[in-house]
Amino acid sequence: MEFQRPRMRNPVHFLAFGFGSGLAPIAPGTFGTVAAMPIWWLCAQLPLWGYLAVTAAVIAVGPYLCGKTSDDMHVHDHPGIVWDEIAGLLITMIAVPVTLWGAVAGFVAFRVFDIIKPWPIGWLDRRVAGGLGIMVDDLLAGVYAAAVVQLLIWQFPAIFT
């Protein structure tokens, strides 16, 4: 089958491509993470249970959005599919103070873990197929990054207030 371009009028493709941020010609994952930052900021205004509910919903629909878009395009894990970055960043930012340093720490930590893919992130990325396979590495990168950011907040609370 021949590679197909995403159809941005299709709401599934539009969401999977991070509202168009995944169309960036370079570093689409980074642009997807940038697009996730306002989502984090809006969700951070909710009580923790609301934030967690939105994050769970983003994760729950992710395998479908990513898998369907990937299937429609006839390519596995196209770099422009960045819904997984949105989910991963929301995991990273659970209970992170809405401050400049909170935003910077979460963004950088998530991008580092998403790019370097330490074990078992890279291992899972190579072995899990479909929409879940597209999502799993970013979800775990989000968990790793969340641990680092929470450690930083615990060690340097004055910076994050």
Side-chain angles (χ1 to χ4, degrees), residues 21-78:
S21 63
L23 295 172
I26 57 168
T30 299
F31 279 92
T33 307
V34 168
M37 294 302 289
I39 297 168
W40 161 68
W41 183 83
L42 286 170
C43 292
Q45 310 309 309
L46 299 170
L48 181 59
W49 67 265
Y51 184 95
L52 295 174
V54 171
T55 301
V58 168
I59 293 167
V61 300
Y64 171 75
L65 294 175
C66 297
K68 175 72 172 135
T69 302
S70 182
D71 289 346
D72 289 351
M73 294 177 65
H74 307 294
V75 62
H76 174 68
D77 204 359
H78 185 281

